Amino acid sequence: MKYGFLALLGVVSVSQASIDLKANEQPLPVAIDRAAIARIPQGYKFVEPGTLTVAISALNSPPLALLASDNRTRIGSDPDIARLLAGSLGLKLKLVPTAWEDWPLGISSGRYDVALVNIAVTEQRKEKFDFATYRVDSLAFSVKSTSDVQSIKSAEDLAGKKVIVGSGTNQERILLGWNEENKQAGREPALPVYLTDDASGNLYIQSGRADVFFGPQSVSAYKAALTGKTRVVGLGPKKAYVATTTKKGNELVYALQAALDGAIQRGEYQQVLARWGEQGEGVAQSEVNPPGITY
């Protein structure tokens, strides 16, 4: 699906909210937060002085991230959260489109200050990274609108199905766990289909080369509302906190937490979620390194 086409469609209804893509190209105002600035650790060296360098998804995955109508500017809820953070901290913002597979090394090696790639907190990831939560994220199963599949609630419902997942994601781990359940019960396991771009996923679902897409609920709901060619038939068994991701121990996480809490108190955070149809995924306050998903 072309980015420019998405922008030209104008208004999309998701989660009972109207998403005006053209209007959402305009950045929201952000107040400088002196209390958050005071939490920037002494001696911390930003990748570029005076700039917050943020990794965001290189994929077309609205409402989380997509290209504006100029086919250059990154918009979406994650870029908007990045602008909240940079603006609150009195910094310029540099967004770096990044493949999902690349953000861990990019954070560990110091290429980015922060990663915002719809990253869920897990106990394993907490060993290497620090997290400040900014959304509650559900996973969803979606199918072609004409599919015979009406509901997916358990491992049995996916037996023998071809399921699109991202490599190294929580949804992959859930799927592989359900495959073990199916094997133990004598049922055929699902076949994971690993794709890295949205266009291929759409093609696989519509052509029958895959039966189910398993990914972020907000993305699945957006697609269903946008085209009517898919529908959501179930939610994943686990909910996760989505969080800013930084290198373990560098203490920048506390400045990000303070920036998020300040934006929540001022109502700026709520404006971001509202304009991307994510009101149901908000947090009342940001938490640092909360209990993560375990498998």
Side-chain angles (χ1 to χ4, degrees):
M1 188 178 295
K2 298 294 185 182
Y3 299 121
F5 175 70
L6 278 173
L8 290 171
L9 283 171
V11 179
V12 179
S13 176
V14 180
S15 300
Q16 299 179 339
S18 292
I19 296 179
D20 187 333
L21 292 173
K22 190 64 179 178
N24 287 5
E25 293 182 3
Q26 298 302 314
L28 292 169
V30 182
I32 292 178
D33 190 330
R34 301 297 176 187
I37 292 172
R39 298 302 301 271
I40 297 174
Q42 290 187 352
Y44 178 79
K45 293 184 179 179
F46 289 96
V47 175
E48 295 183 13
T51 300
L52 189 68
T53 301
V54 180
I56 60 166
S57 177
L59 296 179
N60 174 39
S61 52
L64 303 176
L66 66 155
L67 282 173
S69 56
D70 63 5
N71 283 329
R72 295 191 307 273
T73 306
R74 294 278 165 175
I75 62 173
S77 59
D78 277 350
D80 272 359
I81 293 293
R83 293 184 182 97
L84 275 186
L85 295 172
S88 296
L89 296 173
L91 300 168
K92 297 178 182 177
L93 176 63
K94 180 178 180 180
L95 296 175
V96 183
T98 305
W100 170 261
E101 296 82 1
D102 294 341
W103 72 258
L105 179 59
I107 288 291
S108 298
S109 65
R111 279 190 314 215
Y112 326 121
D113 298 302
V114 187
L116 295 180
V117 196
N118 200 51
I119 302 166
V121 181
T122 69
E123 288 301 309
Q124 184 179 28
R125 288 173 185 160
K126 281 165 60 178
E127 295 174 5
K128 294 183 178 180
F129 307 103
D130 283 326
F131 297 95
T133 60
Y134 65 92
R135 257 186 34 247
V136 178
D137 188 38
S138 298
L139 297 173
F141 299 101
S142 60
V143 298
K144 187 176 180 179
S145 57
T146 57
S147 170
D148 292 335
V149 177
Q150 298 300 317
S151 175
I152 296 176
K153 295 181 179 179
S154 65
E156 183 176 2
D157 296 325
L158 286 182
K161 299 287 193 299
K162 299 184 288 291
V163 183
I164 297 172
V165 291
S167 178
T169 61
N170 290 323
Q171 48 267 37
E172 180 197 28
R173 291 189 177 191
I174 291 169
L175 179 62
L176 296 180
W178 278 11
N179 274 351
E180 290 303 314
E181 287 186 37
N182 280 329
K183 290 177 184 177
Q184 292 172 12
R187 297 186 294 262
E188 183 182 0
L191 175 66
V193 178
Y194 295 104
L195 300 175
T196 58
D197 67 279
D198 187 68
S200 294
N202 292 335
L203 178 62
Y204 269 59
I205 289 291
Q206 296 304 318
S207 67
R209 296 168 70 182
D211 304 302
V212 180
F213 172 81
F214 187 24
Q217 187 272 338
S218 58
V219 173
S220 296
Y222 185 99
K223 285 184 182 181
L226 180 67
T227 68
K229 293 182 178 181
T230 58
R231 52 188 169 82
V232 174
V233 293
L235 297 179
K238 296 176 181 286
K239 283 193 175 182
Y241 282 111
V242 174
T244 70
T245 306
T246 50
K247 189 174 182 179
K248 190 74 175 178
N250 70 11
E251 305 296 304
L252 183 61
V253 65
Y254 297 105
L256 301 178
Q257 179 194 32
L260 287 165
D261 283 343
I264 290 170
Q265 292 168 9
R266 295 189 300 271
E268 296 166 351
Y269 165 85
Q270 292 87 337
Q271 286 182 296
V272 168
L273 296 194
R275 78 177 189 162
W276 293 108
E278 296 175 340
Q279 302 95 313
E281 299 181 359
V283 297
Q285 62 184 30
S286 179
E287 293 185 63
V288 169
N289 295 331
I293 296 176
T294 56
Y295 298 92

